[in-house]
Amino acid sequence: MEKCFNVNLEFDKFVVDDVIGSCIKNNKPGYVCSVESNNLSVANVNNEFLEVLNGAVVNICDGSMLATILGFIHKKPFKPYIGADLFINYVRSGKYKQYFLGNTHEVLSGLRKELSKIDPKIANMPFVELPFRSVDEFDYKSIAADINNYRPDIIWVSLGAPKQEFFMNRLLPFLERGVMFGFGAIFNFYSGVGSVKRAPAWMRRLELEWLYRAIEEPKKNIPRYLRFIKLLPRLIKEEKKKRKNRC
């Protein structure tokens, strides 16, 4: 992984998949963070959250604009690995024993139904709702006991950033195996329930998924984008300085 804007990021999809596969094969628990403008902004003003992100076995760059900006600074052809693509690729592979954790009962029910059309085995995998509470109030030992009893390869976590990243970090010491993925709204994308949808294919091809998210949920996402834009000049300046010092 390369440290970009103070966060460890891996831009090579094959390396990402190799790291995940190695953890699963060797029964090494860990977590993967999907890094985009929102949690990158939080990480650069919250040292505890920065440590959580950099404690992941691997982080993906879940933003085309973020990859473009970093690629320009480092003069490298950085490409994003969009979390929604990773999720559906792993589901379609049919290779993994999976555990779905978080979000609402309605979304989880829809997600089970839709994903079972892709891989019928998913119908019998656990879809577990969590009570609404702060990250400090979860009974991590009890949650982990249920996961350990099932012994999944993959644990998908949908609590929204940065809550899900803190959750995974705190759950990790109690897990015997399984790679956790903090993927927020992706459960909603593929559940067929509610108004939160993924951008249409033509917008994804043009790397405009961020714009669709802004239009779809403006009250939630526009303030996040503005926070990142406000922080960006400082991050770029620091990143260029670090790159110059390494050369």
Side-chain angles (χ1 to χ4, degrees):
M1 287 191 286
E2 300 205 27
K3 185 157 283 187
C4 299
F5 291 159
N6 300 311
V7 175
N8 295 328
L9 290 172
E10 180 55 62
F11 296 92
D12 188 324
K13 296 181 181 181
F14 296 103
V15 173
V16 171
D17 292 336
D18 283 347
V19 170
I20 294 166
S22 177
C23 288
I24 293 171
K25 180 180 178 181
N26 295 301
N27 293 319
K28 177 186 175 183
Y31 60 89
V32 177
C33 298
S34 173
V35 178
E36 35 67 49
S37 59
N38 176 50
N39 50 19
L40 184 69
S41 298
V42 176
N44 276 280
V45 297
N46 184 321
N47 286 333
E48 183 184 5
F49 186 61
L50 180 62
E51 290 181 9
V52 167
L53 289 189
N54 287 335
V57 293
V58 68
N59 291 322
I60 62 172
C61 179
D62 189 6
S64 56
M65 289 303 297
L66 180 58
T68 298
I69 292 167
L70 287 168
F72 178 78
I73 294 170
H74 292 274
K75 303 187 187 309
K76 293 182 179 180
F78 288 155
K79 293 293 182 182
Y81 195 174
I82 303 301
D85 294 332
L86 186 154
F87 175 81
I88 204 65
N89 288 343
Y90 275 60
V91 166
R92 285 173 176 160
S93 74
K95 298 191 300 184
Y96 301 107
K97 193 176 181 182
Q98 300 166 76
Y99 192 104
F100 300 83
L101 183 63
N103 216 300
T104 67
H105 175 75
E106 182 184 19
V107 168
L108 289 172
S109 296
L111 189 65
R112 184 197 297 271
K113 179 181 177 182
E114 294 302 314
L115 297 186
S116 297
K117 297 175 183 177
I118 300 171
D119 179 3
K121 297 189 297 295
I122 289 177
N124 297 314
M125 294 180 187
F127 287 73
V128 180
E129 186 180 4
L130 288 172
F132 182 76
R133 57 186 53 169
S134 76
V135 75
D136 296 319
E137 296 174 328
F138 286 110
D139 184 349
Y140 291 100
K141 188 174 181 179
S142 176
I143 294 169
D146 188 63
I147 295 171
N148 291 336
N149 184 58
Y150 184 68
R151 297 188 62 78
D153 301 311
I154 290 174
I155 303 131
W156 303 106
V157 180
S158 177
L159 292 173
K163 185 176 182 178
Q164 63 201 11
E165 287 79 15
F166 280 118
F167 177 91
M168 295 189 298
N169 180 263
R170 297 185 187 191
L171 184 61
L172 180 61
F174 300 99
L175 290 181
E176 296 173 357
R177 72 184 309 274
V179 179
M180 295 177 281
F181 295 77
F183 276 5
I186 290 173
F187 280 23
N188 302 73
F189 292 165
Y190 291 105
S191 69
V193 172
S195 60
V196 179
K197 307 295 181 184
R198 194 177 180 194
W202 70 267
M203 294 191 79
R204 301 201 299 268
R205 284 195 298 270
L206 294 174
E207 298 187 341
L208 292 174
E209 196 158 7
W210 63 271
L211 178 59
Y212 181 85
R213 296 294 304 279
I215 295 170
E216 182 186 47
E217 296 183 283
K219 290 183 179 180
K220 174 183 175 182
N221 289 316
I222 289 179
R224 290 179 171 184
Y225 292 154
L226 291 176
R227 185 166 57 242
F228 175 66
I229 290 169
K230 183 178 179 181
L231 192 63
L232 192 56
R234 174 174 72 82
L235 293 178
I236 292 174
K237 182 179 179 180
E238 291 174 354
E239 196 72 12
K240 286 183 175 180
K241 183 177 179 180
K242 284 185 289 184
R243 183 178 184 277
K244 183 178 179 180
N245 291 338
R246 286 196 297 264
C247 293

